[in-house]
Amino acid sequence: MEFVEWQIRPSAVRLFRQKGIDVHELQSDVAVKREDGGLEIDLLVVNETEVVLVELTLLGMNTRGFLVHRVHLN
C-alpha cells in the first residue's frame, strides 16, 4: 500500500485543513502491538484537540479508497 500512501500523504494536510481540521503532525505506517492484539494505521493526523486515523484500501484493480476515523481528545 506504500504507493497509495505516497500519493495521498502530500495532499492530506491540504484536504484536512479544507475540512476544518488543523494538522500539527502527520505520521505514516504507525503500528501498535499489545498482548491482546494490535493496530496498524496508514496515516495518523494529530493536532491539539483530535486525532484522525486513516486506513487506505484497494477496492478493486483501479479503485482506491480510504476510511477515516476522527477522535476528539478531552
Side-chain angles (χ1 to χ4, degrees), residues 27-39:
Q27 304 290 328
S28 59
D29 296 323
V30 176
V32 177
K33 298 190 189 293
R34 303 277 165 89
E35 288 182 19
D36 59 343
L39 176 65

Side-chain angles (χ1 to χ4, degrees), residues 22-66:
D22 195 21
V23 177
H24 295 190
E25 295 179 44
L26 182 63
Q27 304 290 328
S28 59
D29 296 323
V30 176
V32 177
K33 298 190 189 293
R34 303 277 165 89
E35 288 182 19
D36 59 343
L39 176 65
E40 292 184 13
I41 302 164
D42 293 322
L43 291 174
L44 177 67
V45 180
V46 180
N47 66 30
E48 292 179 5
T49 61
E50 56 197 340
V51 175
V52 179
L53 313 170
V54 180
E55 172 80 23
L56 303 171
T57 60
L58 288 177
L59 303 173
M61 285 299 271
N62 297 315
T63 307
R64 297 175 182 89
F66 57 92

